[in-house]
Amino acid sequence: MAGKPKGKSGKAQQREEGLEKTDNNLPLTSWPQVPMINQKNYYTEYLKREDQYLAYRTLQEENTNRMVREARDKDRALAQGNGVPMANGNGAADNDEDMMDVDDSSEIHGSKIIVIHPGSQNLRIGFANDAIPKTVPMVVARRWKENESEENGGEPLPKRVKIDGEVPEEPEKQFGEEFASMCNTLSADLKARLRYKKIRLMPNSKELVVNYNRRSTPEMITEHNDPHRIEWTEIPARNPPDCITGAAALRIPENSKPRYKLFWPIKNGWLNEKDYKQKNMVLNDYFLVIEDAMKKELGVTRKKDLQQYSCVFVIPDLYEKVLVQTALEEFMRDFGFRRICFMQESLAASFGASYTMTCIVDVGAEKTSICCVEDGMCIEDSRINMKYGGRDVTEFYIKKLIHSHFPYSDINLKRRYDFLLAEELKQKFLSMNETDVVGNTYEFHLRAAGQDTRKYSFRVYDEIILPGIGYFDPSRFNFEGKLDGRRSIVDRSYDLYDNSPNDPTSAAQAMVLQWATQNIPSATIQVAESSTKPTATPAITATPQRDRPLNLLSRLQEMDGTPRSSAANSPAPEGTPQPRQGSPSGDATGANGTRPEPIDDRLRIAEESDRILPIMPLDEAIIVSIRQAARSDDRKMRDFLGGVMLVGGGCKMPGFNTFLEDRLRTILPGMAKEIMVGLPPRELDQQLVAWKGGSVFGRLSSSGNDSWVYQKEYDILGSKLLVQKLMFAY
């Protein structure tokens, strides 16, 4: 049996054979060695403290800098009061930073904050310390081969019906038999309601109005005798501008050389995809109006000066993420604002009116939004956005006037001076007071470029009240073409990971879409069965064809268990490039450039929603919104009904709030005593309430407003910051 040699130990044998284990105290590698973690007891603080978030650290730095400036200003004031010189031995200031602080402290609070509230027709813009904002028409006039009134063979608006190729001379027949029948029905219903309320009427009021308007002829006034003549925009013969924005665009003569065509970047609360063919063009015009307004109205002529300014941007309650992210990128990259924050319209209106619990009803030019606000937060499932407003009332008003032999029967809303005239007539003469239906006589002046002023007199009967009642019976409005081009150049936002549409929705909005499909067939467009998106110019059909009835609300409940609200946008992984020009940061495409299929049914629901124009009577929509906000809580229901507030220029008619109160009390007789519809307090203009709320919010101290997005944060994280910064679920 073999063994180890006698007289030798095991270590000696290993040493002789070179197998002895030695240690020269030299590490095997220069890389640091990390000891193993004790799996039974270990702890980490990663993302468990607020100071580990960049957004929080930036806010703390701003607060610290503000406190330092205030302390330095206080010391400076004390030193100057005691006669201590605040200069070095050479008589110069201590440093440039002190001089900057002196300038900042002497400025009026809010003078470096610009509040922007864009709309379909007007842009409200101004400094946060201004009493009222500047109002700029949201329009761009571009050099074109023909103006808007010359397109399509000069077809006017409202569109006249042709019989045997010609428009009838009788005004009663110019809009078809259906419109004439509807007017007779509306007049009979109004007369019956006035008799029920014991309001006396002349038996032949309608005939007297028609006969007077038939005999009315204009009075000519020369230009030098017109004290209110209009200064028209002069186009230079040499080097005419490519585009003109704002009020100057609406004052360009129709026969200008060269021709100019008006473009409205916002249509029905959406980006205008009907008149634009490229996304870059509509976004360029959108921000061009804002930039020119800052230069002409606010005096900020150089972009590099915007580095000293902050921006409060007011957005719709049911916003589109593409526009929000594009605005953030544009204001940070191109404009160069120091910081920016976003605020929803209804919340801004509640700030402007100082309401803590209210139902905001915002009737704009082309959209009407409703939302319940409680304790500084918009209740998500109560948000409603409907696509009708003041312009629909204007069009119906003009049609009703022409039907009653309006003396200026050639009025055409596609002509700029006629559009401004129609808006003036609506603001002056429309009313919702039933006692005003007495057949009064009114006057107006028609001013056109290169023509003498014409003074008209006319009479109206029920024409002053019937257009406003259209808010409670929207079927009388014309919805033709409002969905043309929808989703043709601006795609919706998608989640990066599951590829589902993540624009905010609400249970109340789903009920509005459901009502529109069941009651107004013309509000739904039909697409081919194999198509997944509506075409650029979809055809309007009387009866939409589907395999099964559309019920968006129940399908949303089936997917989530509860009505779907705003979906949070998942952050993009490191190294993901941020898209430019409004592309949603959540866009995800495959290797071949195609989008992978979604994992759920949300894409189909989003596409079906895009083919439906959200329409519902205003009084019913308010009740739907409040019920979704109250959630079967009777006390909350009564509180919201007692705090309904009207804002926006579309409802700026005498007696509108009283008329709405009566409609709500008719629907909810058990809560008639609690229902109250009010106007903004302190005689604040209804059109400016949302902007005023944005100015109040912007002037809050940094400790009370932590939703500012700073340049440093945006450079690092991009639009992903919005998930943490915004006051609402994004």
Side-chain angles (χ1 to χ4, degrees):
M1 175 176 173
K4 62 182 180 180
K6 291 183 179 181
K8 292 186 178 180
S9 65
K11 290 185 177 180
Q13 185 178 1
Q14 291 180 357
R15 186 165 47 252
E16 291 178 357
E17 297 177 359
L19 299 177
E20 182 181 11
K21 184 178 180 180
T22 60
D23 186 5
N24 56 6
N25 296 324
L26 294 177
L28 299 178
T29 176
S30 61
W31 287 90
Q33 299 182 13
V34 180
M36 298 293 294
I37 296 177
N38 183 0
Q39 298 292 333
K40 295 182 179 180
N41 184 17
Y42 71 94
Y43 177 77
T44 178
E45 293 185 349
Y46 179 66
L47 295 183
K48 289 188 177 181
R49 298 196 311 268
E50 288 184 338
D51 58 357
Q52 293 175 335
Y53 288 90
L54 176 63
Y56 180 83
R57 292 201 305 271
T58 305
L59 180 62
Q60 289 298 100
E61 291 174 2
E62 288 292 326
N63 290 334
T64 302
N65 294 336
R66 177 179 55 82
M67 294 174 62
V68 170
R69 288 196 303 268
E70 291 176 355
R72 187 181 293 118
D73 294 340
K74 184 178 180 180
D75 293 342
R76 182 184 293 109
L78 292 174
Q80 291 176 346
N82 295 331
V84 179
M86 294 298 297
N88 55 22
N90 298 327
D94 291 341
N95 49 48
D96 295 338
E97 185 178 0
D98 288 340
M99 292 299 296
M100 186 181 301
D101 291 334
V102 172
D103 295 339
D104 291 343
S105 62
S106 62
E107 292 173 350
I108 301 175
H109 182 52
S111 60
K112 292 294 185 180
I113 301 175
I114 298 177
V115 184
I116 304 174
H117 180 203
S120 299
Q121 184 165 318
N122 291 312
L123 166 71
R124 318 287 180 187
I125 187 171
F127 296 113
N129 63 316
D130 292 341
I132 57 175
K134 306 293 184 181
T135 300
V136 180
M138 195 73 183
V139 63
V140 178
R142 290 193 171 275
R143 291 176 58 178
W144 216 253
K145 58 182 179 181
E146 55 186 2
N147 59 47
E148 59 276 6
S149 63
E150 297 172 342
E151 290 185 326
N152 300 324
E155 183 181 66
L157 182 72
K159 184 178 179 180
R160 274 68 164 179
V161 176
K162 293 184 179 181
I163 301 177
D164 297 333
E166 295 183 357
V167 178
E169 296 183 0
E170 300 85 351
E172 299 90 346
K173 301 180 180 179
Q174 290 188 1
F175 301 107
E177 297 180 357
E178 183 178 355
F179 181 81
S181 176
M182 180 183 65
C183 289
N184 295 332
T185 303
L186 295 176
S187 298
D189 294 343
L190 177 62
K191 186 180 295 184
R193 188 164 64 251
L194 295 178
R195 286 178 178 175
Y196 175 77
K197 293 186 176 182
K198 299 181 180 180
I199 298 177
R200 296 187 59 184
L201 298 173
M202 296 183 64
N204 57 343
S205 298
K206 190 66 177 178
E207 291 76 8
L208 292 175
V209 168
V210 172
N211 292 332
Y212 181 89
N213 291 338
R214 282 176 175 173
R215 298 191 303 268
S216 179
T217 56
E219 175 186 350
M220 307 301 294
I221 302 176
T222 57
E223 183 178 0
H224 64 275
N225 289 329
D226 185 5
H228 302 288
R229 60 180 179 271
I230 296 175
E231 297 294 334
W232 300 95
T233 303
E234 296 184 2
I235 306 299
R238 290 186 177 181
N239 300 324
D242 292 332
C243 60
I244 302 174
T245 64
L250 295 176
R251 294 303 184 186
I252 299 177
E254 302 290 330
N255 57 352
S256 63
K257 294 183 181 179
R259 290 287 196 271
Y260 283 82
K261 180 183 176 182
L262 298 184
F263 290 89
W264 302 84
I266 300 294
K267 201 76 172 176
N268 302 315
W270 295 320
L271 287 174
N272 187 355
E273 300 178 77
K274 177 181 178 181
D275 299 328
Y276 289 87
K277 303 303 180 185
Q278 295 180 359
K279 180 174 65 175
N280 290 343
M281 289 297 298
V282 62
L283 291 175
N284 179 71
D285 285 359
Y286 181 82
F287 293 107
L288 178 63
V289 177
I290 297 176
E291 181 181 354
D292 284 357
M294 286 192 294
K295 292 180 179 178
K296 299 175 182 178
E297 303 295 338
L298 304 185
V300 185
T301 56
R302 298 183 303 177
K303 280 191 175 181
K304 65 178 182 180
D305 295 337
L306 292 176
Q307 298 175 1
Q308 307 172 14
Y309 289 85
S310 305
C311 174
V312 178
F313 197 68
V314 183
I315 61 176
D317 304 323
L318 284 174
Y319 52 87
E320 292 189 331
K321 289 190 175 182
V322 169
L323 183 56
V324 174
Q325 294 172 1
T326 304
L328 176 62
E329 180 181 6
E330 189 74 14
F331 289 147
M332 285 295 184
R333 299 297 189 197
D334 188 32
F335 285 72
F337 280 112
R338 173 172 168 260
R339 58 181 182 173
I340 182 175
C341 72
F342 295 92
M343 192 178 190
Q344 291 171 297
E345 286 178 336
S346 294
L347 180 59
S350 67
F351 266 72
S354 302
Y355 281 20
T356 58
M357 191 170 186
T358 178
C359 177
I360 302 295
V361 182
D362 187 352
V363 184
E366 296 185 353
K367 75 172 179 62
T368 298
S369 60
I370 306 170
C371 182
C372 294
V373 180
E374 182 180 12
D375 296 333
M377 291 294 293
C378 293
I379 301 178
E380 296 181 351
D381 278 334
S382 69
R383 295 174 295 180
I384 290 177
N385 192 314
M386 298 180 292
K387 303 306 178 183
Y388 61 77
R391 282 200 180 182
D392 298 281
V393 172
T394 301
E395 183 177 347
F396 184 83
Y397 179 43
I398 297 302
K399 292 171 70 173
K400 194 71 175 66
L401 287 177
I402 296 175
H403 186 265
S404 300
H405 291 258
F406 189 56
Y408 180 41
S409 59
D410 294 334
I411 186 171
N412 179 7
L413 296 181
K414 289 185 177 180
R415 288 198 293 256
R416 296 153 198 167
Y417 58 87
D418 281 350
F419 170 76
L420 296 175
L421 173 64
E423 290 293 322
E424 179 185 353
L425 295 177
K426 181 183 70 174
Q427 295 174 7
K428 284 185 175 181
F429 306 132
L430 278 191
S431 173
M432 296 297 289
N433 292 323
E434 295 173 336
T435 55
D436 293 339
V437 186
V438 292
N440 291 329
T441 303
Y442 300 106
E443 295 179 348
F444 70 91
H445 293 77
L446 175 62
R447 297 177 175 90
Q451 303 178 22
D452 290 336
T453 302
R454 285 169 280 176
K455 178 182 177 181
Y456 286 90
S457 62
F458 68 105
R459 281 188 179 179
V460 291
Y461 175 56
D462 55 6
E463 292 81 8
I464 64 172
I465 191 173
L466 290 181
I469 301 179
Y471 288 128
F472 309 96
D473 183 16
S475 60
R476 68 184 65 178
F477 292 149
N478 178 26
F479 301 117
E480 182 180 357
K482 285 196 173 185
L483 282 173
D484 288 0
R486 180 65 174 155
R487 299 298 183 194
S488 59
I489 61 175
V490 180
D491 200 3
R492 63 180 63 85
S493 176
Y494 294 92
D495 188 87
L496 179 65
Y497 296 106
D498 64 9
N499 196 42
S500 63
N502 59 359
D503 279 331
T505 59
S506 71
Q509 184 74 359
M511 297 179 70
V512 171
L513 296 174
Q514 187 70 30
W515 189 94
T517 58
Q518 296 174 355
N519 296 273
I520 305 182
S522 61
T524 306
I525 63 174
Q526 179 187 7
V527 296
E529 294 295 332
S530 59
S531 176
T532 59
K533 293 179 62 176
T535 58
T537 54
I540 303 294
T541 60
T543 305
Q545 299 179 2
R546 290 187 179 86
D547 297 333
R548 54 174 177 165
L550 176 64
N551 194 335
L552 293 175
L553 182 60
S554 63
R555 291 171 63 183
L556 287 172
Q557 292 173 338
E558 289 174 1
M559 287 191 303
D560 294 338
T562 57
R564 179 172 170 81
S565 182
S566 301
N569 189 15
S570 302
E574 295 294 333
T576 302
Q578 296 294 325
R580 299 280 297 178
Q581 296 296 340
S583 298
S585 63
D587 268 359
T589 55
N592 56 355
T594 61
R595 185 178 302 280
E597 291 298 325
I599 62 175
D600 53 22
D601 195 36
R602 294 194 181 109
L603 179 59
R604 183 180 176 185
I605 293 179
E607 291 175 347
E608 290 178 347
S609 300
D610 288 339
R611 296 197 292 267
I612 306 170
L613 195 66
I615 300 166
M616 195 180 208
L618 183 60
D619 49 352
E620 297 183 24
I622 293 174
I623 294 176
V624 167
S625 176
I626 291 178
R627 282 177 173 165
Q628 290 296 329
R631 289 294 187 182
S632 303
D633 189 337
D634 187 67
R635 182 187 60 82
K636 279 190 175 183
M637 184 84 174
R638 296 177 185 274
D639 290 341
F640 283 125
L641 287 173
V644 178
M645 186 175 65
L646 290 171
V647 299
C651 59
K652 197 176 178 181
M653 290 179 282
F656 191 90
N657 58 324
T658 305
F659 192 92
L660 179 57
E661 275 186 8
D662 293 340
R663 300 282 300 200
L664 293 176
R665 288 169 180 167
T666 303
I667 300 176
L668 298 174
M671 297 183 177
K673 295 182 180 180
E674 286 81 8
I675 295 176
M676 182 177 296
V677 180
L679 301 175
R682 301 183 298 275
E683 298 181 357
L684 185 62
D685 191 344
Q686 294 174 242
Q687 304 176 82
L688 312 179
V689 179
W691 181 92
K692 193 67 176 179
S695 68
V696 173
F697 181 76
R699 283 179 289 175
L700 293 176
S701 62
S702 299
S703 58
N705 181 2
D706 57 355
S707 61
W708 290 107
V709 178
Y710 293 86
Q711 280 279 1
K712 177 182 177 182
E713 300 171 325
Y714 182 78
D715 292 340
I716 298 175
L717 298 178
S719 60
K720 293 181 290 185
L721 263 177
L722 296 177
V723 178
Q724 297 178 348
K725 281 289 188 175
L726 295 183
M727 298 177 293
F728 45 89
Y730 183 74

